[in-house]
């Protein structure tokens, strides 16, 4: 039972486009105001604008356009870096009996290169109590191991019992124990993902319950005195007599 859900890049790009629009909203407001002043004096005004006013309008337009150009350029670079980092480090993975949540948190320039940091939750599907979608987030109520480190440090391989970190220290140490995980819903259908996690959790819980029931019955059979006596009498070696 393995499934990986990747982010929808369009959702992340739309988030940065909204931020870029809000950043440029002041300059757009100034440009609209200057245009309105020119139109009012041109259409309804009996007198022409003073020469100083034309100078102010020119410089105001120039600085607004320059501000928008710089912010759009910087914002585009930041958005491109962030989208690529999310594409690599943000995902939801169901691996055997383990749920892995990974989300890119930030990118920093360190030691001469860009370094990505991410949040990582490792949850046993048996421990999941509830999964729900709240506005733009997916909230999972369960006991989990939580890490917030350099993404390069949190490399791992999947195993039958969970994950095996490339950095051996994290296998038995590191991280924190939390009782819930909240991730941003950057996915095409967060509600379907939540339903899939619930279904997998129920299947694993049922499988674990059946195994425990089978183990209990086997222990009862092994502990049955009559059963053990019958086996011992049947296979008891014959007593030899020596003269």
């Amino acid at each position: 039972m393995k499934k990986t859900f990747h982010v929808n890049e369009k959702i992340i790009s739309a988030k940065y486009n909204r931020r870029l629009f809000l950043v440029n909203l002041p300059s757009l407001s100034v440009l609209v105001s200057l245009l309105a002043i020119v139109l009012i004096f041109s259409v309804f005004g009996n007198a022409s604008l003073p020469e100083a006013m034309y100078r102010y309008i020119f410089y105001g337009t120039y600085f607004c356009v320059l501000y928008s150009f710089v912010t759009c350029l910087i914002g585009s670079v930041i958005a491109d870096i962030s989208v690529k980092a999310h594409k690599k480090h943000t995902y939801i993975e169901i691996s055997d009996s383990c749920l892995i949540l990974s989300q890119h948190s930030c990118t920093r320039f360190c030691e001469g290169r860009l370094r990505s940091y991410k949040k990582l939750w490792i949850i046993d599907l048996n421990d999941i109590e509830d999964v729900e979608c709240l506005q733009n987030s997916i909230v999972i109520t369960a006991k989990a191991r939580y890490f917030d480190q350099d993404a390069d440090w949190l490399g791992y391989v999947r195993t039958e019992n969970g994950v095996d970190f490339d950095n051996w220290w994290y296998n038995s140490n590191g991280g924190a124990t939390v009782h819930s995980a909240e991730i941003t819903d950057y996915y095409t259908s967060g509600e379907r993902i939540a339903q899939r996690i619930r279904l997998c959790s129920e299947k694993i819980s049922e499988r674990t319950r059946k195994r425990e029931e089978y183990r209990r019955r086997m222990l009862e059979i092994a502990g049955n005195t009559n059963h053990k006596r019958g086996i011992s009498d049947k296979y008891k070696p014959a007593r030899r007599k020596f003269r």
Side-chain angles (χ1 to χ4, degrees):
M1 185 168 53
K2 296 182 179 181
K3 182 67 175 179
T4 302
F5 302 94
H6 297 283
V7 294
N8 187 334
E9 298 178 31
K10 293 182 179 179
I11 296 177
I12 302 176
S13 298
K15 181 190 73 171
Y16 282 98
N17 290 337
R18 288 193 297 270
R19 292 181 178 179
L20 196 59
F21 173 76
L22 293 175
V23 170
N24 284 279
L25 191 58
S27 62
L28 293 175
S29 301
V30 173
L31 287 175
V32 171
S33 300
L34 295 176
L35 179 62
I37 292 173
V38 173
L39 290 176
I40 290 173
F41 274 87
S42 299
V43 178
F44 302 102
N46 296 325
S48 60
L49 286 172
E51 184 178 350
M53 182 64 70
Y54 283 109
R55 190 182 305 112
Y56 295 147
I57 292 174
F58 172 78
Y59 285 121
T61 304
Y62 173 79
F63 284 113
C64 287
V65 172
L66 179 63
Y67 171 81
S68 297
F69 174 77
V70 172
T71 53
C72 287
L73 180 62
I74 296 175
S76 298
V77 173
I78 294 175
D80 183 65
I81 294 173
S82 181
V83 169
K84 289 181 179 179
H86 275 289
K87 184 178 179 181
K88 182 177 180 181
H89 300 297
T90 301
Y91 55 86
I92 298 174
E93 181 178 1
I94 301 174
S95 178
D96 296 323
S97 61
C98 182
L99 174 65
I100 303 171
L101 307 175
S102 178
Q103 181 167 301
H104 169 73
S105 57
C106 65
T107 301
R108 300 173 184 172
F109 187 79
C110 183
E111 297 178 355
R113 68 184 184 93
L114 293 175
R115 303 180 69 92
S116 296
Y117 290 78
K118 72 176 183 178
K119 299 178 181 179
L120 182 70
W121 293 266
I122 300 177
I123 304 172
D124 191 333
L125 287 172
N126 283 310
D127 296 333
I128 294 179
E129 300 175 5
D130 189 24
V131 184
E132 56 184 346
C133 292
L134 300 175
Q135 295 181 351
N136 297 325
S137 299
I138 300 176
V139 181
I140 300 174
T141 304
K143 182 180 178 181
R145 291 185 66 192
Y146 170 67
F147 301 86
D148 188 358
Q149 299 286 345
D150 189 324
D152 293 338
W153 299 351
L154 296 177
Y156 62 87
V157 293
R158 290 80 174 170
T159 63
E160 294 182 358
N161 298 323
V163 299
D164 185 14
F165 284 98
D166 297 340
N167 189 341
W168 63 268
W169 167 261
Y170 290 135
N171 289 326
S172 57
N173 302 283
T177 301
V178 296
H179 298 281
S180 65
E182 181 176 351
I183 59 174
T184 306
D185 187 3
Y186 289 132
Y187 304 89
T188 304
S189 180
E191 187 61 40
R192 287 188 177 183
I193 295 175
Q195 292 175 358
R196 181 64 177 268
I197 294 174
R198 292 192 201 101
L199 179 61
C200 292
S201 177
E202 292 171 358
K203 287 184 177 180
I204 292 297
S205 298
E206 180 66 17
R207 187 179 70 180
T208 303
R209 186 190 66 78
K210 289 182 178 180
R211 286 181 176 179
E212 291 296 329
E213 180 66 19
Y214 178 79
R215 181 175 178 274
R216 185 184 63 80
R217 286 192 285 109
M218 291 298 102
L219 290 175
E220 288 179 356
I221 293 174
N224 191 311
T225 306
N226 295 330
H227 174 76
K228 290 195 295 183
R229 184 181 295 114
I231 295 295
S232 61
D233 291 342
K234 182 177 179 180
Y235 295 99
K236 185 177 180 179
R239 180 176 297 178
R240 298 176 61 184
K241 295 182 179 180
F242 296 93
R243 294 180 179 178

